[in-house]
Amino acid sequence: MFFAGCDWSDRWLDVAVLDRSGAVLGETRIVYADSPDPVAQYRKFLVSLGRRWRATITGIEDVRILFARSLSASGMEVVHVDPTRAARHRAAFGIPKTDRADARLIASMTLAGQCRPLVVNSPSVEALRVVAHAHRAAVADRVEAIHALRAALVRFWPAAVSAWPASVGGLRSPQARAVLAAAPGPRTAARLDRKRLVTLLTAAGRKRKVEDEAERLRMIFYRPVMLLDPGVEEAEAIRTRHLLAALDQAVQRTDTLQRELEQRYAAHPYHQLVSRIPGIGTALGAYLLAEIGDRPGQRFGSGRSLAAYAGVAPVTWASGRTARVAFRRASSTHLRSTLHAVAFSMVSHSPGAQTYYRQRRTAGDAHATALRKLGRKIILCLYHCMATGVPYDDAVAFGYNPAVADAPTLRREKPLNEVEIVRARDMLAAPGATVTATAQALGVSQQTVYRHVLGRPRGR
């Protein structure tokens, strides 16, 4: 059996091969520009070293690169060598930082067993992981495009920012994008009549109370506003059109990837298990399964290992009488952020999660700390369900009996108490009072005033 170490870069691969005694059998450098198939060249190099080349164990620091994935797909055994541990070995033994020396170091660590076997997910789950990462990046680009458009409008047309509240989608809504594309400046917007606004809103997909919405927008655009020089405003309008085009592209890309994500998420073997957990929708469920994979038992071995990989298990440093518990930073950032969002969502949908979160907050934990501890319970329960095939049960996960009288129940706190509701009604009864002014005075949204004070949903 041979033990190989591979040090990769963006232009070539350095390979060192050892035997069982640790003697160097051969070294080579595979340049990408000179070899159309580095895997075939690597296997050819191993053939020249002996008949046992098929049993070679190849260690590499990044198993996500194309060479490692293709080598594993060809049937060769690939193991992962931790880069941080390799750097510590290099510093401890005084090994120079060169590509050739790094390849030998990785090969020696592979020989010593200081590596982790590579557990490859099924092709469908790997495809889900790729689509999930693309969807996450598309959502980030969409948010960045919205912020860029909002910042540009604030500089020369603040009324357009508040024309579409967050309750109807804000600047991301199709109606806002359609109107801004037709009138990217205050002067052009003021020339829009009701008929033109109705046409734009209808083309954007609005079906209810189109006339009322057109009149509302017309009144906003007709109000006197601070104006710039016409030439400067035209330049600002040009920039707004380009920002709108970037936002349209980001929204379209996100919607396309969302549909693809839903299809691949539904085909995952653990889809039915995760979809039963309260508070986990399509996006969060797909993110979770994309990072965990379909072989958690082989890949992690235990729920504690998965919790450490997710960054929700603390690190304990102890020496003599000194002990310190610190935040685990060496973890999967994608899974950690996803688990944070899952815990935040479950607080509003799971009685057990909400009760546990309130207990941690009462004990003195900060908001992020309480969510991290809740995320640890969630990931341990999820691993147990995946390993045993037992469906998720909120009562079992958080240890309560739903049949008893004092069982945890979802408590939804009203945004306004009784005193504030009475005060809001008195304010609205005054002559000339508006829902907008009342909502601003109470520090809540207009939807809250419509729903909790007037007792009716706001028409859109």
Side-chain angles (χ1 to χ4, degrees):
M1 179 178 290
F2 298 156
F3 301 89
C6 178
D7 182 73
W8 67 276
S9 67
D10 57 346
R11 291 191 296 174
W12 56 67
L13 298 167
D14 278 276
V15 179
V17 182
L18 309 180
D19 60 10
R20 289 184 179 273
S21 64
V24 179
L25 298 179
E27 294 177 319
T28 186
R29 170 171 287 184
I30 302 174
V31 182
Y32 298 139
D34 300 338
S35 176
D37 189 356
V39 173
Q41 185 173 347
Y42 174 65
R43 292 165 68 97
K44 183 179 179 181
F45 168 71
L46 293 177
V47 170
S48 64
L49 299 180
R51 294 183 301 175
R52 295 174 293 176
W53 68 273
R54 294 183 182 275
T56 302
I57 301 177
T58 304
I60 192 168
E61 292 180 329
D62 188 358
V63 295
R64 303 302 305 176
I65 65 174
L66 180 59
F67 174 78
R69 296 163 67 184
S70 299
L71 187 63
S72 176
S74 66
M76 299 288 290
E77 184 176 357
V78 179
V79 296
H80 175 245
V81 176
D82 187 10
T84 303
R85 179 176 293 184
R88 290 174 180 172
H89 275 68
R90 187 186 306 112
F93 293 103
I95 301 174
K97 183 68 178 74
T98 63
D99 295 341
R100 182 178 180 182
D102 285 348
R104 286 192 177 188
L105 174 63
I106 296 173
S108 63
M109 295 180 65
T110 304
L111 172 62
Q114 298 175 347
C115 55
R116 186 174 59 190
L118 177 62
V119 179
V120 182
N121 294 318
S122 62
S124 60
V125 176
E126 284 296 316
L128 172 64
R129 178 186 176 93
V130 174
V131 175
H133 285 192
H135 181 266
R136 188 191 294 267
V139 171
D141 293 341
R142 184 184 64 185
V143 173
E144 183 179 357
I146 293 174
H147 289 338
L149 176 61
R150 185 183 185 280
L153 291 175
V154 166
R155 282 192 291 266
F156 84 106
W157 191 17
V161 178
S162 57
W164 294 276
S167 59
V168 297
L171 296 176
R172 195 185 75 182
S173 64
Q175 302 169 37
R177 290 185 279 123
V179 174
L180 290 177
R187 285 186 173 90
T188 54
R191 292 194 291 267
L192 293 176
D193 56 7
R194 183 187 302 175
K195 183 178 179 181
R196 176 59 174 162
L197 286 171
V198 168
T199 303
L200 293 173
L201 294 175
T202 304
R206 189 179 183 93
K207 299 180 180 179
R208 297 177 55 191
K209 298 184 178 181
V210 182
E211 295 282 348
D212 295 344
E213 178 67 10
E215 180 63 21
R216 185 185 72 86
L217 292 177
R218 191 181 71 86
M219 295 301 297
I220 292 176
F221 296 152
Y222 270 30
R223 292 172 185 169
V225 294
M226 296 180 291
L227 297 175
L228 299 174
D229 180 82
V232 177
E233 182 178 323
E234 180 62 26
E236 293 283 359
I238 293 174
R239 178 168 60 176
T240 301
R241 288 193 183 96
H242 285 282
L243 292 175
L244 276 171
L247 178 58
D248 290 339
Q249 183 180 8
V251 170
Q252 182 180 2
R253 184 158 59 100
T254 305
D255 294 342
T256 303
L257 288 171
Q258 177 71 25
R259 292 190 292 269
E260 186 69 24
L261 188 70
E262 292 175 357
Q263 296 177 3
R264 297 187 180 275
Y265 172 54
H268 196 283
Y270 292 116
H271 166 259
Q272 294 296 331
L273 189 151
V274 176
S275 61
R276 294 186 56 179
I277 302 178
I280 298 183
T282 301
L284 289 181
Y287 288 172
L288 268 181
L289 293 181
E291 299 302 323
I292 297 175
D294 59 344
R295 300 170 183 172
Q298 301 176 25
R299 185 179 177 188
F300 301 103
S302 65
R304 296 180 62 182
S305 298
L306 177 57
Y309 177 75
V312 292
V315 179
T316 302
W317 304 86
S319 178
R321 298 182 178 179
T322 303
R324 180 171 62 91
V325 180
F327 175 76
R328 183 181 294 273
R329 300 188 181 277
S331 59
S332 170
T333 55
H334 290 306
L335 184 55
R336 185 172 64 192
S337 61
T338 301
L339 205 56
H340 180 89
V342 167
F344 183 81
S345 178
M346 286 189 65
V347 168
S348 302
H349 295 83
S350 166
Q354 186 180 91
T355 303
Y356 180 81
Y357 172 80
R358 294 180 183 277
Q359 291 174 353
R360 298 314 314 165
R361 293 286 284 163
T362 304
D365 289 346
H367 171 70
T369 304
L371 288 183
R372 187 164 59 250
K373 292 181 178 180
L374 175 59
R376 186 175 187 273
K377 289 185 68 68
I378 295 171
I379 202 68
L380 291 177
C381 178
L382 183 60
Y383 178 85
H384 175 76
C385 293
M386 288 181 172
T388 60
V390 177
Y392 175 84
D393 189 340
D394 193 73
V396 176
F398 293 95
Y400 67 91
N401 185 4
V404 299
D406 58 345
T409 56
L410 279 178
R411 293 185 295 169
R412 300 186 182 274
E413 296 182 355
K414 294 184 178 181
L416 296 175
N417 55 35
E418 297 298 331
V419 177
E420 292 173 333
I421 291 177
V422 173
R423 178 189 170 193
R425 288 173 179 170
D426 294 339
M427 294 173 63
L428 291 173
T434 62
V435 173
T436 302
T438 304
Q440 292 177 353
L442 296 174
V444 296
S445 65
Q446 299 178 29
Q447 180 68 28
T448 300
V449 177
Y450 275 104
R451 179 174 299 174
H452 298 279
V453 178
L454 300 178
R456 57 185 174 88
R458 179 183 177 186
R460 298 182 182 177

